[in-house]
């Protein structure tokens, strides 16, 4: 994504609602999308965790990404951050025995254990 702040990021997974997609500018093949995604998922690893939890989280927040998931395979948990008033709160942690729900995808229910099987 080529984001409004001038940052360019490639999340592991993302979702753009049809409303945003229709309003967004069309880009050519091989170019970065110039749309702010509704939902971004970053899968943490030893080499990316610090950047994902710090710099990239701040960039997503500054650009208005509604929902950010940080998937931590080592801890087998997912932390979900929701944008409210232009800021991410503390985030809600979902453990292996819980079911994750997403405001960006209202019908979505994922048992966290499925993400790590």
């Amino acid at each position: 994504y080529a984001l409004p702040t001038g940052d360019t990021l490639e999340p592991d997974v993302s979702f753009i609602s049809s409303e945003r997609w229709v309003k967004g500018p069309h880009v050519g093949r091989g170019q970065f999308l110039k749309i702010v995604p509704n939902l971004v998922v970053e899968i943490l690893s030893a080499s990316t965790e610090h950047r994902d939890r710090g710099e990239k989280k701040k960039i997503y927040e500054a650009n208005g990404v509604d929902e950010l998931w940080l998937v931590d395979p080592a801890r087998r948990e997912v932390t979900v951050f929701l944008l409210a008033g232009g800021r991410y709160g503390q985030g809600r942690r979902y453990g292996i025995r819980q079911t994750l729900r997403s405001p960006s995808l209202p019908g979505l229910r994922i048992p966290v254990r499925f993400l790590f099987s």
Side-chain angles (χ1 to χ4, degrees):
Y1 292 94
L3 298 168
T5 56
D7 296 289
T8 302
L9 294 176
E10 292 183 74
D12 294 310
V13 179
S14 61
F15 167 76
I16 303 168
S17 67
S18 54
E19 296 89 39
R20 284 193 188 179
W21 182 259
V22 170
K23 292 177 185 175
H26 297 285
V27 295
R29 188 177 199 103
Q31 294 179 320
F32 286 105
L33 293 174
K34 295 179 181 180
I35 299 173
V36 175
N38 299 78
L39 168 67
V40 165
V41 179
E42 293 288 356
I43 300 169
L44 306 178
S45 69
S47 63
T48 67
E49 181 174 7
H50 183 72
R51 183 168 186 243
D52 290 342
R53 288 188 187 277
E55 178 186 357
K56 288 175 88 174
K57 180 180 170 213
K58 288 177 186 175
I59 292 169
Y60 292 134
E61 180 180 67
N63 284 281
V65 174
D66 300 320
E67 189 172 351
L68 168 63
W69 297 6
L70 296 179
V71 179
D72 190 336
R75 293 187 177 125
R76 296 174 50 103
E77 69 182 20
V78 179
T79 305
V80 175
F81 296 92
L82 301 176
L83 198 65
R87 307 286 300 174
Y88 289 137
Q90 288 295 104
R92 178 173 176 193
R93 288 191 178 158
Y94 290 85
I96 200 77
R97 292 191 173 106
Q98 293 177 291
T99 298
L100 192 148
R101 292 175 176 83
S102 167
S104 297
L105 299 162
L108 180 71
R109 288 175 174 31
I110 301 174
V112 172
R113 72 179 181 277
F114 287 174
L115 298 174
F116 303 106
S117 36

